[in-house]
Amino acid sequence: MGTEALNYWVWAVIGLTVLLISISFIWWWKKRDPRALLVLSFEKIGKPRARTNQWYAPRKLKFQLISLQQRGFSFITPAQLTHLPEKPIWLTFMGGYRSFYSEVFPFLQEHHIPATLFLVPDAVNHYNTWQDPYQEPWQDVLTSKELIVLHKSGLISFGAAPLEGKEVSAVSQQDALFLMSESIEIGRAHV
């Protein structure tokens, strides 16, 4: 078999694979439960000085949220997780960074979009210990006063993020139980 014939077959297999994946996705999208929950989670909002994929531009976030609203998606709160509307989205932000307060919260208020903010309980009113300021711009964390404003808005619910910025899958069962209790207490203790 010549090189041209081999290239033809390779491209044919690639094309067929892409076609099958596309058809499968379209079939899944049409057959999925309209109440299937979509969870959008963000961490660092802003414009980093260094090139990294861990940061999300506020302009891009706002555009995507408006686009989802226009397509009939409903942003939900944790209280609504037991009775989902059609096309539900749970919008979450991790870390409790001050950029959420300055860059995202005013937009959420303007468009009446609820969100859940997962905080590291030990970092409130302090600083984050998990970020390396030599690798990227420092992110301050929220203060109690800012948490009170967020809570009073009625749009923001709170949860506890893993301690010291650990990956959720790396948290022990004992720490997970502690975090669940902190999620309940965070609203009472800091707000």
Side-chain angles (χ1 to χ4, degrees):
M1 188 180 291
T3 306
E4 279 186 34
L6 183 61
N7 283 342
Y8 171 78
W9 283 107
V10 167
W11 282 109
V13 168
I14 290 171
L16 183 60
T17 303
V18 169
L19 180 63
L20 289 174
I21 290 171
S22 300
I23 290 170
S24 297
F25 178 77
I26 291 168
W27 177 83
W28 170 81
W29 185 258
K30 290 188 177 269
K31 296 292 183 186
R32 72 179 175 80
D33 183 349
R35 293 190 192 333
L37 178 63
L38 174 62
V39 179
L40 295 179
S41 187
F42 300 92
E43 184 177 2
K44 298 171 185 166
I45 305 296
K47 184 177 180 184
R49 287 183 224 126
R51 203 149 183 58
T52 175
N53 63 358
Q54 295 178 347
W55 290 71
Y56 209 78
R59 186 183 84 250
K60 187 176 179 181
L61 173 68
K62 293 170 186 177
F63 175 79
Q64 288 183 335
L65 297 181
I66 290 296
S67 177
L68 289 166
Q69 263 189 335
Q70 290 172 344
R71 290 187 176 125
F73 284 88
S74 301
F75 292 94
I76 65 162
T77 65
Q80 293 172 292
L81 288 172
T82 55
H83 302 294
L84 295 175
E86 285 198 17
K87 298 172 109 179
I89 296 179
W90 185 18
L91 183 60
T92 67
F93 294 87
M94 302 299 174
Y97 296 114
R98 189 167 290 153
S99 62
F100 172 81
Y101 188 80
S102 62
E103 300 283 343
V104 179
F105 179 59
F107 175 79
L108 297 179
Q109 279 186 301
E110 181 182 341
H111 296 279
H112 307 288
I113 297 174
T116 301
L117 184 59
F118 287 90
L119 309 163
V120 176
D122 296 341
V124 173
N125 288 326
H126 293 66
Y127 57 90
N128 75 59
T129 58
W130 58 89
Q131 187 176 352
D132 182 356
Y134 297 107
Q135 299 294 319
E136 59 187 334
W138 188 262
Q139 284 265 29
D140 289 329
V141 293
L142 293 164
T143 65
S144 292
K145 289 179 183 179
E146 292 162 334
L147 290 175
I148 290 169
V149 172
L150 294 172
H151 177 70
K152 286 183 176 178
S153 75
L155 289 173
I156 310 302
S157 53
F158 301 94
L163 301 173
E164 300 166 2
K166 292 178 189 172
E167 290 289 325
V168 174
S169 60
V171 176
S172 71
Q173 188 174 18
Q174 182 179 0
D175 284 347
L177 289 172
F178 171 74
L179 290 171
M180 286 172 55
S181 67
E182 282 291 303
S183 290
I184 294 166
E185 293 299 322
I186 249 180
R188 296 182 197 145
H190 295 293
V191 178

